[in-house]
Every structure is written in structure tokens, then in C-alpha cells.
Amino acid sequence: MAVEIKRQSPISFPGNPLKTELRGHWTVMQEYEAKGDAPRVIDLSHRIRWDLQDSDIARHRPGGVSIPDTPGRCVFENGVLINRMNRTQASIWHLSGEDLSIPDDPAFTDVTDATVFLALLGKEIFSITEKLTTLDFFDPLKEAPFLLQGPFSHVPCQMVILGNTPEKSAILFTCSRGYAQDMIAAVLEAGAEFELHPAGENAFSDWVNK
Amino acid sequence: MFGRVKPLWGEKSSLKSNYDAVIIGGGLHGLAAAYFLARDHNMRNVAVLEKRFIGFGGSGRNTAIVRANQRTQENVPLYKEALALWPVLTKDLDYNLMFFNCGNLNLMHSEAAMNAARMNVATAQFHGVESHLIDAKQCKELVPALNILADITYPIFGAMYHPPGGILRHDAIVWGLAKGAAEHGVHVHQQTEVTGIGVENGKIVSVETDKGQIKTPRVLNAAGGYSAALSYQMLGIKLPISVLTIQAMVTQPLKPLLNHVVSSGAYHAYANQTLKGEIATGAHMDSWPNYTTQTTAYYIKHQAEALAEMLPCLRGVKFMRHWGGLADMTPDMAPIMDGNDSIEGYFMDCGWGYFGFKSCAASGKYMAQFMASGNCPNMLKPFSLRRFEQHRLMGETAAVVNYTPDN
Amino acid sequence: MALTLTCPVCGKRNGYEFRYGGEEKGPRPDEAGITPRSWCEYVHMNQCVAGIQKEWWCHKDGCGVWFTTHRDTTCNLEVDKPEAQS
Amino acid sequence: MKRLEKLSTLRINPAKTLHFKYKNKNLKGLSGDTVATALYASGIRIFGRSLKYHRPRGLYSLDGESSNTCMQVNGIPNVCAETTLLADGMEVKAQNVAGSPETDLKGFMDKLDWAMPAGFYYRTLHKPARIWPIALKQVRKAAGLGKISAEFQMPGKYDEIYPKADVCVIGGGPAGMSAALAAAENGLRVILLETRPWLGGFFDYRTAQNGAGLSLSQSVRQAAEQLEQNSNVRIFTQTPVVGVYNNNLVTAFQKGCETDYFDERYLEIRATSVVVATGCSERPLLFENNERPGVMQIGCAHRLAQTYGLLPGKQAVFSIGHDLGLEAALDLFDLGLEVLCVADIREDGQDPALIEGLQQRNIPFLRGWVATRAHGNKTLHKVTLATIPGTLRKDFSCDLLVASAGMTPLTGPLSLAQAKLAFEPYTGFFIPRQLPAKIQVAGRLLGLNHPATIEASGRLAGTLAAGDCGVSVESRLKEAREKLNQLPGPDQGSKLVTAPVQGRKTFICFDEDTTVKNVKQALAKGFDATELIKRFTAAGTGPGQGGIPGHNLPLFVAQYHGDIKATAMPTTVRAPLVPTYIATYAGSNHDMCKRTPVHDSQKAAGGVIRRIGVWKRARYFSKDFSCRAEIENVRKNVGLLDASTLGKFRLWGPDALNALQRVYASDMSRITNGKVKYSAMCNDDACIIDDGVVVKRAENDYYFTTSTARAGATVEWIRYHTRYDGWNFHMVNLTDAFGVINMAGPNARKVLAKVTDADVSDDAFPYAAYREFMIKDTIPVRSMRLGFVGELSFELHVPSSYMQALWDLLTEAGKEFGIRHFGLEAQNVLRMEKAHLIIGSESEQRTTLHDVGLGFLWSRDKSEEKTVGAVALRQTENQEARLKLVGFKMEDPSRVPKDGSIIVDNRIRGYVCIARHSFALQEPVGLALVDAPLAGEGTRLQIYEDECNGQHLYATVVPTPFYDPEGKRIRM
């Protein structure tokens, strides 16, 4: 029996997707059944993520994008989201589909497999997140997109608030891959009140394009 | 019908200018040492100085659990003796300390934990202290409210069952010891704060207080949470102590439900039912030093989460009162009982952390012996301060390391 | 949950996101000729200040940085201007 | 009981009847009723019996100030009937009664109070000693209020939220509402918390005019509607605050209504500023039988009528000390209550309009009079009034006594927030003298009483709170202050502590049956501080959270000491301010645990999963917990172990080597390319805390592993120990990024060769080497030749997303070589046979690197590097009398000693860390930590197992490793 070589996401949602795509050994869930404007959770774990650390971090321009100058700030350009974490570190999340190879520079580490990567979309997502964290997603001093590093459902996460207005509510977050299953269970349970449901990658692309 | 009632710990006396011994701290350890000094060593000219009122600190804030199933042979005999002293003290003090000999179950949540517990059990049995390893089913028989299903965070594999343990009424011990000490002539001075300790030629000579100076050749530092700060500020002696806030809480009173003390390291919780019917539960310490006895929302929630899994019927019971006290923690979870080392006449009985309550009778007895004779009794020798510079931590905690960088 | 700390990177956060790292005692002493007592002093002994102390914290659940802060141990609150108050 | 209808203030819905059960009877209440008001409407007057004396207790207040109405509802004990909304189908039972509340068989206890002075149990019940165990049983039985069974399952859904707020307002009465509105007008995020199901506080039920043509009730309801429309204000009703902590953390819980997703929801609010506008309850009047059913507080009587449509009695006497009492008397008179007399503690200071109202209605009014005794066996039938000095007395036959000494500010949240309260003689209140940062106070708890003043003080507090949040509020502040200054200030409070009484049954605390006499007994015994009296008499420690004695006890004690002003100190208040279910605090309680990438497939393969630290791991793969098949297969064929939980790190940068030198005992400069280096980390007591391997992947670029337990703390540890150095190096925790397979056994190479083109021969990839290659041209692996289990083995580190694929590939490729899984216990035995250490199993907190025989790892020549632990390693190097790790074999090979058995002679000399039957050696072997003098080879060890009854086992210290001592098999 030949074993098919696949890359696996650490989570599997309940229910079957309507549409999937095989992409570089990943089976990407593209669409699930739509459920009105109820909030959605999307698995983006297959999206490439890099860690960048350098005492002179400003010299880097991954994907042609400059690193944000202060910790907590994010930029989203050319399908690349760069989150400044501290004086010497940034995380780089590739939100568009291109196949990317990591720059030949020791400052970069591919950490795609280190974390689970999730998106939450929809106007009630902040009613869900307030059940799971004390982090303030509405800090008046912060303008979206911004990064919060802190606990979410007790697990340290990197959370990027892409939008926090009723019309435009979206969060991306990562946490240690090992926690994936319990994290998604906690998120779905917290979201049950609002009919949070899984959605495919396309829903996220649509959101980004809007 | 009462006529003239005598105050329990004697009429208020004014501070004398000379005492043979001054004990700093009107908690269980200080009062016990005073009591035994006066009773067994004929040293009656003793003052106990208490900044607030007796039993204000850890003595009145602990949940009064006693047991003798410690981990090491240096500790077991001390706690064994302490356990045996409760009925004796009840009689000698003529004060009902309300010892409820209900036995303790220390739950284990893995195969490895069961094996680790076996070492404690064997150590106890070797010292003639009753203690057994029991399985989950036996746990359930003893404590029907326990959840022994496998689908909880930390399933119960069994327990270390220690029948001689139990609970007492902590205030009764404070008041009983104060009464006993006073009856033997000890002066208990409340609302008296120590402001300095006089040392001349390497010897203790006096104690300064906000009510005046006392000449004395002996001082016992039994100031509980404040012992380390006091030692450093007044004598320049630093101690390997971190002062942490430990918290506990009680539920509304219930008719008898728990007939044993139940504790769990993994859940970081213990629970027992007081004679008033309240479920007393606690164990958490925030890991950073602070001198507040404030409680935290984090902990009462954590405790509820733990109890909801361990003892699920308690989900329908309400928490009623949550408080905090100070614990003077040492790196090896064992106390410092020492004296006459760098300063003659300076004695320490501190660093008790979790264990100050259960030990007080025995430590008081031996510290009194130490102070009266000037020689450290064998029982106390392992608890010297110097063990830390010799890299000989006591092994009272098996944990490989507290995962804190300062350790 | 009561304590809050101000992470130099992430700002004011819940205290439980942090790990306490001990009293500030300065860099590691030189090893040559150090006595057991002075080594122990560095490793284990504390001043246990009831008041403002300088201490180390790590934002373990956040950005991971180690930093010092001044905190009043008698009220468990960070102190803004420790020099002015101490 | 017939309800008063058509009152505009009603909060019940007469059209919606609810059914419930009490004493096996089907009773009815209305939607909007609490359990207590529904019972009252059904004619119930005795709700339960008191703790100690089994005295009948009834409806005294409506906000849960005492345990009088604690009942069992739907099997849940100690439910406060006053604050629990009635629901259809409820089953309600009285507590602490033998029989029924009306005919309690233990009612005789009330006559035995003479035998139970304060603290009586301390002085009795232990003489002779043998009676104590018997007495103890009785004490336990008598104690406690509610009952719960061990099998009880709490129904319902419990939830939690952690909202942020700029301003959190505690109390949704007129002051709190004004404060919330004022803060919201500044564009701030405001949270308003109210205990009752509606906003409005003590205006809600009052028909008194507000001066603008509306009743207080009408005006406050209009204001509530307005506030509900404000999108900046988030209103939580039925949400009592339970805690206030440092830095303005407020906790509360919300009781769900029918449409809510939850039964109760825990709230933890971090606010920048907090406004406390909790208002007042009433200070109980102390007189003989002051808790007899039929005696109730002003608000209770007033609200029963106005809110619930229940006339509280037929003939009433009022003994009050506050204008609200006068107002209630008038109002209730107009609703049909016969008011026989109103006695006011105060000689003067009443609102003249209220006095006039009494005159108009011909209600007798006695100034300077007070109730001194309630008569009636179970419920009230007569009241004695007297002048304050007690010189004149009058009796009245009645069924209702509305009694109250004055008001009590609800300062609980302030006390919890560490505000300093002090006695203020004019109001008689404990009032905040010093507020913590960013806490504001408004309304009635400051002694204010005039409606406009209360609202204005709320406005000021809300504006101050906005200022706390950094909003510029100067002009508004000035305006608010000016407005407040123009309005009437605080009312003078009544000072009376006790009525002139003789008897023994004047209760200062209802919950604990503590009488004034008990308090005097405690004082006489030397318990002269309020806190000591609380401990000695238990006053204030019951379910009412000190709601009854909280104000009176310190006043009484201060009066005893002769100087109220100087000595009155408020009692300590503790969270939760309202008793709160453990279910509610527990909330959703998510269990967060890590799983490896092959967790599910291992489980499917029969893995018995255990939680180990933060991970779930497979411990066994069969029901045979000796794991014989797993173990023998590794020794004979090849096995696969999921070792993904190992800590894995990249460390690089110009100072990378410095960082490694600092934390590892060995000289890390001697790492060579393509080789793994095994070393250990110690703490500064030389105790071993971690071991693992380090490889150098490029110049200044290292990859290293740690034990599972240390993975989470390693980055922190290294940064901590280099924090003064300013070194330039970086770390990434790759623990979760890589899965790890340990493929071990003589056939391991054959399996590996099948899936890779890389040369994995012993020449190309020898023991202790490190290689990177591709599996099936697709999966990149980092591989190490290690020998933890003592066989030829390849540790394969693979990107986690590929882990399952690699696992399946190897399983498939290995079929012909007899491959199978093995779990942690099998590994445990295999490595023990090699005497390889697991930290925490063969070491404890005090075990040094020397003690476990790994002292050779320490490089003594790098003192410049200031290696963590090096100083202590030097100091302990030749130290005697330490526990040393040794291997042993049993004299009687038929018996394996249990782990944790101790090694003894006349004292304890060590303990067995692990012992197992070795299938390879066909005899038991083990590792023990023993006193150094016993560590020599050939020493006989005496093993003491638990429950051994003096039957010792004997073992002999032998050299290790037990298995393949030359290490040939790992180098195959």
C-alpha cells in the first residue's frame, strides 16, 4: 500500500467542505456551507509563516514590504502581513496564494508548522473573543491592523486585529500547533451562541479583497 | 451568671523593661514557644510582642489542616510529634482545640505520581506514621463526592491516605496557647510593634518597640510573613525567603458532605469541611512576593474550576468568603529553625510556608528547648540556615525545579 | 486577577501573563574565589522589602521580554516614579 | 393574598401566573416575583429556622442581607429566596428544619441559649477527652444550613466574559445611572452593573414627587429608557458585583433570563475607572426578638407593596430612624395598611412635609421612641415601644413591625478596592476617607438623600471617571461641582445602636444567632477588637455576608469602649460580596492541552493516552502494562516512538555560543559540524534541570533539544541568565514545528533505507552523528543517531505537517521488519536497562549533576563564561553524604521492588527511583538514589516497601548500564 505524502493541518472541522483544493501537499478547504452573516472561523494553517529576528531588523524587506517601525504595529501589503513583535523580531504571514521560498538569510526561520493559524470573521467575533481573553481589541490608542501578543483561551497567541468595526470585523491568530484541537474546540464552544461555523479559505480571500 | 469574667490571656499588663526572652510575633509559633518556655523550662519572664492582635497573621488565616506524611525523614518525626500533641494540648490548656481526626487523602493523578507517593507512604510507615496508598475506587468509597471518571483534566489514579491527620480550629489554638502562656506568667502584648533589635558584641541585648525599650538576652523571630524583612532590616541578615500571598476560601455552610480532607497537587487545591459545615478550600499562591493579604479573582475562579472537576456536586454550592495570608516560602519548602549562630541570642523560627500551622506545637516545644538551653536539639539540626550555602536543600518537595529562573 | 504590569513592549497587561524573576541583584558575580556564603547570598537570599523593590519580570505569555520594574510589595502595585517615592 | 393592582410602580405581571411547589403544595406566583415574594403572597411567614437556636425566621429584607430566606430550590441548597426570581415549576423547600418551619422539632434549642454562651465549645465538650468524639458528631450534624448529595449534578449552562471598560459603574440606581450617562457623554465605553432586574435603585418603587411633576418612579424609569438607548453604555441587570480588585478589576455574575444563552455568566471587567454607586441598605434595629417573623425593614415593607403588590401586614407599628420610614408609613397607609403608631428614634430633623402627612392621616407619631421588644411565639403579635432611655413604655398589638435604625452604606466594593473607610459622626456612616486611584463614589452611600443631590453626585462622579480616562473634563467638572454645591447635603443619621433592652435575644447577627449578649461575653473575655469578636462569636460570617451585623457590630464595640468617634472601625469585607456558585465561577472551564501531530493515529492504534505536563502522550499500546511485547520488539526488531514533545530550539547570532556556554555545563565550543553533543543544564545549586543534545547547523547557528518538561521554559531561562550581557543572539522555539520519531531497534536502518536515498549506513551516518536529508524526495528531515533506548536508532525531526505522512511511510516500510509502536512506559524500561536518566525520575530538586554521575559533562575550564551552576558544581564536587544514583539487582530475582520503595538500615538511606523486570536480562533491575556510603559496587541494600510489615527485600549495587554495557548495539 503506497502512502500518499500529505501535509496535514493540526485541525479538522466538523462537517464536510463543499470544495477543496490540493496545493503543495496540503488539502486546502476552500468552501463550506454558507450560513448567513453568522461569524466564521477559517483554518489558514497551510499559509506560509516566517519568523524574522535581527538586531538590525529594518534592513529587511520581505516580499518588498518594510517592517513596521514599532512593536504592535502591522502592515498588510502585497498579500504579506508583517507584524512587529518587539525590538528585534517580526512575524511574516503570507496571506496570498503564491508559493514562496524563504529568503536566504539566517534571520528568517520558517515557522509555518510551529503554529495553528486561524481567522475569525463576522461582526459578532468580539462577543466570542471576550469569552476567551482579557486582551483589549478595542484599545482606542491602536488602529487596525495591530498585533496583540497574549493569552487567548489561556494559550499564548499572536493576534492580529485586521478590523474592529461592525462592518469590518476580523482577527487572525496563531498559537502553538499542539494546542490546535483544544483551541478550536474552545472557540467553537464560545461561538456556539452566535452560530459560529467553519468556512473555507475563499471566505477569507473574499474578505481580504473587500 | 458570669459575674467578673477574666480575660482569656490575662489582664493587660504594661511592657516591662526587662524580659528573659522576647518573642516577636503573636502567632501560633511565637505563642507556642512562649508557652513551652514558661511551662517546661521555667522561663516565665517572657514577652510575646504582637503588632496587631494575636492570631492576626497566618495563624488565623490557614485552613487548619494537620498531617504528618511529609516527604523526608528530617521532617516526618517533627510533624508526627506535632500531631500527637493536639489531644495533649487540649487537656493541658483546658481549651478545646476541636481536633477533628478525619484523615487526609492526597490525590494522585498519574502512574508517576502514585510511585512518588509511595515513597512518602513508605517513609511514613517506616516512622510509624499511618499512611497508605489507595486506588481510585477506595478513594470514592471514602469520599463519595469525588469524581473518579477518566474524562477530567487530571483523572484520579489513587491517593495517599493518611488516617491520623485532620483539622482543628485554628483560633482555638491561638487563644488556648495564649491562655496557657499567660497562666504561666508570660506577657502577651498586643498592638506592640518591634522597631529595632539591639546587638552588642555579637549578642542580643535589647528590643526596641513603639511602647519602649526592652532589655533581653534572647529574641525569637517568629514573625511569620514579616520574619525575613525583619531579619534583614533589623539585623542585616538576609534569608532565603520569598513572601507570597496564599489564599483560601469557604463555601456556605452545608450539612456533612466531606468526611476527610481531600487535596490534589495537580489541581492545586485542597478541600475539607469545617465543623461549621463550610467547605474550606485553597492552596494557591501567586508566585511574586507581596505583603498584601488581598485575594485575586484569578484564584477563586481557578479554585472553582478545580472543584467543579474534582468534586462536581460542589458546583451547586456557593463560595462565601475568600481571604489571603502571607506565606514565607523557602526554596526547599522546609522551615528555618536556627539560632545562636552569627548573633548570640538571636533565634529564628520562620520560612514555614505552607506548613506553619501543622507544626506549631512541635516547633514551639523544640524552639523553647533551644532558647532555654542554648543548644540546638537534634530534632531541629537539619533545619539550619546554612544548608542553603552548602547546597543541601531538604528535598521536602520532589519537584525537579520550580520553573522559575531565580531558582 | 489583580496585579497589572507594564511590559515595555506590549504595555499594561494582566499580571498573570508574566513570570516573576526575583529581586534585582545585579549581574552574576565573578566565579574566582567566591565563597559558598556569598554565592548563596546571590542565589537564594532576599531582602524581602516591604515597600518598593526593583525586580525582574518576563512577559511569558506575550512578547517574552525580560524587564525590570519597581513595585510596591505592600500594595502590589507598580510604581511609576520609584526614585521620587523611595 | 390579594395583590394590590394598578400601581404604576409594580414589577410583576399579573397576567402571567407561575406555578411552584412548596411543602408538597402547588402554589402560584406571578412573573416578576422572587421566590420570597411568591411565598409571602401565598401566606408563608416562616421561611426557615436559624442555625443554632432554630428560631423561626421570616422575610426581613429583600436583598439577601441575611440567611433568613435561604432555601433549597430544585435541589440546590442555600438559594436566597429574596434575590432569586421565581420560575415555573420550581420546587422550594425550607432548610434547617426538623418537620416544617412552622413546627420545627428542634425549636426547643431556643430555650437552651444559656448553655451556649459565646465560644462555649472551646471551654466544654473536651472534658473528659472521650466525650469529644461523640460531641463532635453532634456538632457536625447541627452545623450547616443546606444539604447537598454527593451525586448532585448542577443543571444549567455557565459562561464567562472578560469585557474591557473605560468606566465601570457599580449600581444602577439614580446615582449610578447619572454617572454612566455623564461618562458616556464623553464617548467612553461604559459598563453599568445592577443587581436587581431593573435600573432605578431606591427611586423605582417610590411615588414621592421629584419636584418636576413626576414621581421618582416615573422619572427614573424614563431615565433608564434613555440610558438603554445609549450605545456607549453596556447595561447588565441581575448582575451583582462580587469582587473589586487592584487596578480596577471588577468581577460580577449575571443571572440569565429565559432568552439568555446561559444560566449564569461570570464577568471579569478591567476598567480604567470605577464609580461605586451602590447606595444603602438599612441598619437593623437592635431590640429583643428583633428578627421575629413579622418584623421587617422599611424597604422590605415598602417594596412588597409597591413593587410586588403585597400589603405586608394588616396592623403595623413603625420604629424607624430615617425619613424613608415616614414616607413608607404614609404610602402604606394610603394603600390600606393600618398604621398604629410611628416611633422615630430621632428627636428632630424629619422632613416637615412627612410629619404633616402623618398628622393628616391621624397616625400617632412618637419622637425619641423605639421598639424594645417584639412579642409572639412564632410570629409577631405585639410590640413594646419605649423612650430611648427606656423610662416609658407602650404596647401595641399588631402583625407587622417595620423596624430600622437608619441607613447603612453599601461600601463592600470600596472596602475590597482597599479604600480607607472612617466613621463619620454626622451621618453615622463609614465613609471613604481615601479612595484608591481612579475610583469614584456617588449617591446615597455618602449619606446623601435628596433625589436631585443624588443625581448630581452621580454626574460629578461620572465626569471625574471620564477624567480618570484621560478626557479633558475641567469645565464639566466645574459645572457638576457647582450644581452639587447648590443642593442639600447629607442627612444626619440616627446614632442609636441598641434599644433599651433587658433580654437575651437581641440579635446582632441573624445568620450565626449572635446576640448582643454574646458580644458582651466576648468583650469580657478580652476579645476587644471587632475582628476578634467576629472570630469568637462568628458574627458576620454567614451567608448574608455581614449584611446584618456589618454596621452595628463595630458601632456596638466602639460604644462599649466608650468612644464611637475614635474607635469605630469597619469590619473586614471579603469577596464574594454575594455568595456565588462554584459552577458560575468555573464558567466554561476549557481544558487546554497539547497533542502531537500523530496523536489521533496513535490513539486509533490502541495507544493509552495520558496527560503528561502540557501534552497528551501514548503511554502503553496494549492492556499489558508491563509492555513486554513493545519492549522486546525494540530489542529484536524495530519500534517507533512519538517523541514530538521534546523541546526543540534554534539559537543563532553572533553571541549564540556565549549563550550556550552560559547555560550548558559542557564546553559548547567543542561542538563539531555533523555531530551531536549531549549536555545538561543545571541551576545555580548545581542541580540538574535538563539534558539534551545540541547540533551546529552553520556558523553561529545551533539546533538543540530539551526534555519535554523544560520546553516551555527554555527560551525564558536562557534570556534570564543572559539578561545583563547585551548579547546579540536569537531564539525560536521549534518544539511544535517539528514532530519527532524515534525509530529504534536492530532493523531501524533497513526501514530508513527504504524511504530515503540518503546514505544511512554506519559509515556515512555513524553513532552520534547529525544529518539532514529528504524522505521520498519530499519530506525534509533532521536526523540524529542517538541511543536512549540502547539500540540502533534514528531520531527523525520532521516538519509537523509531514509527521503523519512520515509515520505512515515508516510503518508501511517497516512491516516486513516487524515494526510496531512503542509507548512511554516501554521507553522507560528500555532506557532504564541502559541506566539513561530521566530528570525527575532519577533526580529530585536537590540532585546535582555529580549525584547522577554526569559530573563529567561539566567543563571546569570555562569560568569566564559564568556558566549557570558552575560555582555550585565546584563547591559540591567532593561533598559527602549526598544521595547518589546507583544501579541495583535483586537478591531474590522473583520480586521487583515497587517504585518509590525506600532503602533503609536504622534510618532511611535512599529510595528506589525505578525498578522493572528486564526481559532482556531476565531479572529485575533498578536505579536508586542512595546515601553516598552505600553507593559502592557490591553494597547490600535493604529495601522497605509500603505495607511490607517488616519484610524487607534485598538488593546489591551493581555497575550500569545493565544492558549492553559496551554500547555495541547503539553503534550498529
Side-chain angles (χ1 to χ4, degrees), chain D residues 749 762 765-769 784-786 792-794 970 972:
Chain D
R749 183 175 292 116
D762 193 48
F765 189 179
Y767 176 69
M784 301 163 183
R785 280 279 310 273
L786 300 173
L792 165 67
S793 75
F794 296 90
I970 55 174
M972 266 166 57

Side-chain angles (χ1 to χ4, degrees), chain D residues 156-319:
Chain D
K157 187 154 176 47
Y158 300 85
D159 195 5
E160 61 198 55
I161 56 172
Y162 299 85
K164 288 267 171 186
D166 296 313
V167 178
C168 178
V169 181
I170 304 174
M177 289 162 66
S178 305
L181 193 62
E185 281 167 5
N186 290 289
L188 297 171
R189 294 180 282 176
V190 179
I191 286 179
L192 176 60
L193 303 170
E194 168 54 43
T195 304
R196 291 183 190 153
W198 49 79
L199 299 181
F202 87 129
F203 283 9
D204 182 72
Y205 59 90
R206 289 169 66 196
T207 53
Q209 300 296 301
N210 75 339
L214 290 174
S215 71
L216 292 175
S217 169
Q218 286 164 320
S219 70
V220 83
R221 289 182 189 200
Q222 278 180 11
E225 272 175 40
Q226 212 187 337
L227 203 60
E228 279 154 17
Q229 303 305 315
N230 192 317
S231 63
N232 286 344
V233 185
R234 202 166 161 189
I235 299 170
F236 293 88
T237 54
Q238 286 211 84
T239 308
V241 165
V242 292
V244 181
Y245 302 88
N246 261 357
N247 295 303
N248 287 338
L249 187 82
V250 178
T251 62
F253 68 91
Q254 185 180 15
K255 299 180 192 174
C257 63
E258 273 173 32
T259 52
D260 279 318
Y261 186 72
F262 51 86
D263 286 81
E264 286 196 356
R265 166 179 274 179
Y266 170 75
L267 279 80
E268 198 170 289
I269 301 154
R270 179 74 75 178
T272 304
S273 185
V274 168
V275 177
V276 179
T278 36
C280 287
S281 64
E282 287 166 56
R283 187 159 64 83
L285 186 61
L286 299 179
F287 58 98
E288 193 68 1
N289 299 328
N290 54 333
E291 33 62 276
R292 191 58 88 207
V295 178
M296 65 174 66
Q297 296 193 319
I298 301 163
C300 181
H302 206 173
R303 283 160 62 195
L304 272 179
Q306 293 288 8
T307 306
Y308 300 100
L310 293 165
L311 209 53
K314 292 191 176 73
Q315 292 171 313
V317 168
F318 283 63
S319 173

Side-chain angles (χ1 to χ4, degrees), chain C residues 1 19 21 24 28 44 66, chain D residues 249 684-685 716 720 724:
Chain C
M1 205 175 306
R19 166 112 63 215
E24 156 70 349
R28 299 176 72 76
H44 287 301
W66 277 104
Chain D
L249 187 82
D684 273 322
D685 275 315
E716 205 176 293
Y720 181 79
Y724 291 100

Side-chain angles (χ1 to χ4, degrees), chain D residues 604-861:
Chain D
V608 177
I609 306 289
R610 296 277 192 257
R611 188 192 194 99
I612 296 172
V614 297
W615 291 95
K616 290 198 170 168
R617 305 188 68 183
R619 189 172 176 96
Y620 313 102
F621 279 96
S622 77
K623 294 238 164 66
D624 171 18
F625 285 4
S626 82
C627 303
R628 179 173 192 153
E630 293 168 47
I631 291 165
E632 291 188 334
N633 195 60
V634 173
R635 292 274 179 252
K636 240 181 356 218
N637 299 314
V638 58
L640 287 181
L641 176 86
D642 174 17
S644 302
T645 62
L646 280 177
K648 298 171 281 291
F649 299 87
R650 182 183 174 208
L651 190 158
W652 78 100
D655 289 312
L657 181 60
N658 285 331
L660 290 175
Q661 293 283 47
R662 174 62 51 82
V663 294
Y664 277 106
S666 311
D667 183 355
M668 306 310 278
S669 68
R670 290 159 68 175
I671 303 176
T672 49
N673 287 339
K675 291 275 281 178
V676 298
K677 181 164 183 66
Y678 172 75
S679 189
M681 296 193 211
C682 294
N683 68 10
D684 273 322
D685 275 315
C687 298
I688 180 166
I689 59 161
D690 188 36
D691 65 345
V693 297
V694 187
V695 299
K696 188 174 177 180
R697 295 185 66 235
E699 200 49 36
N700 290 330
D701 198 343
Y702 299 86
Y703 178 66
F704 68 93
T705 66
T706 70
S707 58
T708 299
R710 284 296 292 177
T714 295
V715 167
E716 205 176 293
W717 177 267
I718 296 175
R719 291 229 176 277
Y720 181 79
H721 285 291
T722 56
R723 69 198 189 281
Y724 291 100
D725 298 284
W727 287 339
N728 184 2
F729 69 96
H730 310 283
M731 283 179 284
V732 180
N733 185 340
L734 294 171
T735 300
D736 290 47
F738 288 98
V740 175
I741 297 171
N742 182 12
M743 181 162 64
N747 293 339
R749 183 175 292 116
K750 294 178 205 157
V751 181
L752 188 58
K754 275 181 74 180
V755 297
T756 182
D757 296 334
D759 184 354
V760 293
S761 68
D762 193 48
D763 290 340
F765 189 179
Y767 176 69
Y770 171 80
R771 297 288 180 269
E772 296 181 6
F773 50 85
M774 300 296 277
I775 303 280
K776 295 275 184 192
D777 298 324
T778 309
I779 308 174
V781 296
R782 300 176 176 191
S783 180
M784 301 163 183
R785 280 279 310 273
L786 300 173
F788 192 50
V789 299
E791 301 293 341
L792 165 67
S793 75
F794 296 90
E795 196 168 282
L796 302 168
H797 295 217
V798 52
S800 292
S801 62
Y802 280 120
M803 173 75 171
Q804 185 68 53
L806 180 60
W807 185 269
D808 293 343
L809 279 171
L810 295 172
T811 306
E812 186 64 25
K815 262 186 188 162
E816 59 176 302
F817 306 109
I819 202 163
R820 59 172 291 170
H821 302 131
F822 66 106
L824 289 178
E825 174 56 20
Q827 176 187 246
N828 197 23
V829 179
L830 289 161
R831 65 90 199 175
M832 179 209 61
E833 290 173 338
K834 288 293 291 179
H836 285 152
L837 179 76
I838 290 183
I839 292 165
S841 172
E842 284 77 49
S843 69
E844 52 181 67
Q845 188 199 20
R846 54 181 165 166
T847 310
T848 67
L849 197 65
H850 301 302
D851 293 340
V852 292
L854 293 178
F856 65 89
L857 290 175
W858 169 47
S859 167
R860 59 179 63 242
D861 309 321

Side-chain angles (χ1 to χ4, degrees), chain D residues 245-508:
Chain D
Y245 302 88
N246 261 357
N247 295 303
N248 287 338
L249 187 82
V250 178
T251 62
F253 68 91
Q254 185 180 15
K255 299 180 192 174
C257 63
E258 273 173 32
T259 52
D260 279 318
Y261 186 72
F262 51 86
D263 286 81
E264 286 196 356
R265 166 179 274 179
Y266 170 75
L267 279 80
E268 198 170 289
I269 301 154
R270 179 74 75 178
T272 304
S273 185
V274 168
V275 177
V276 179
T278 36
C280 287
S281 64
E282 287 166 56
R283 187 159 64 83
L285 186 61
L286 299 179
F287 58 98
E288 193 68 1
N289 299 328
N290 54 333
E291 33 62 276
R292 191 58 88 207
V295 178
M296 65 174 66
Q297 296 193 319
I298 301 163
C300 181
H302 206 173
R303 283 160 62 195
L304 272 179
Q306 293 288 8
T307 306
Y308 300 100
L310 293 165
L311 209 53
K314 292 191 176 73
Q315 292 171 313
V317 168
F318 283 63
S319 173
I320 49 85
H322 192 276
D323 278 358
L324 283 176
L326 303 179
E327 186 182 313
L330 298 178
D331 215 11
L332 289 168
F333 178 91
D334 293 346
L335 292 170
L337 183 72
E338 190 181 336
V339 180
L340 303 177
C341 176
V342 175
D344 194 328
I345 296 163
R346 302 168 295 174
E347 292 285 353
D348 52 32
Q350 298 88 347
D351 180 348
L354 294 169
I355 307 283
E356 202 184 313
L358 290 170
Q359 284 164 353
Q360 282 166 359
R361 290 166 181 81
N362 288 321
I363 300 173
F365 181 58
L366 302 171
R367 290 170 199 261
W369 281 64
V370 65
T372 59
R373 184 182 182 101
H375 306 263
N377 217 355
K378 286 173 183 161
T379 55
L380 182 78
H381 66 74
K382 192 169 84 177
V383 172
T384 302
L385 299 180
T387 51
I388 302 291
T391 44
L392 299 172
R393 289 175 191 272
K394 281 185 187 186
D395 285 353
F396 294 87
S397 290
C398 59
D399 65 344
L400 176 68
L401 171 60
V402 178
S404 173
M407 292 295 136
T408 290
L410 294 170
T411 47
L414 288 170
S415 299
L416 292 183
Q418 313 297 320
K420 300 278 172 284
L421 303 179
F423 184 73
E424 200 280 304
Y426 183 72
T427 52
F429 285 9
F430 291 107
I431 278 184
R433 277 279 169 265
Q434 199 189 330
L435 286 171
K438 301 188 179 184
I439 289 200
Q440 308 299 341
V441 192
R444 217 155 50 117
L445 66 83
L446 294 171
L448 306 173
N449 194 43
H450 190 275
T453 314
I454 286 170
E455 283 169 350
S457 88
R459 208 159 169 88
L460 174 62
T463 310
L464 284 165
D468 290 340
C469 299
V471 178
S472 164
V473 288
E474 267 138 56
S475 65
R476 261 176 286 196
L477 217 48
K478 188 159 168 268
E479 196 182 309
R481 284 211 172 98
E482 275 168 8
K483 171 119 195 250
L484 187 61
N485 288 339
Q486 287 158 10
L487 291 161
D491 277 11
Q492 185 167 10
S494 76
K495 301 295 186 307
L496 185 81
V497 180
T498 49
V501 289
Q502 303 299 327
R504 307 194 301 248
K505 296 292 172 58
T506 298
F507 287 87
I508 202 157

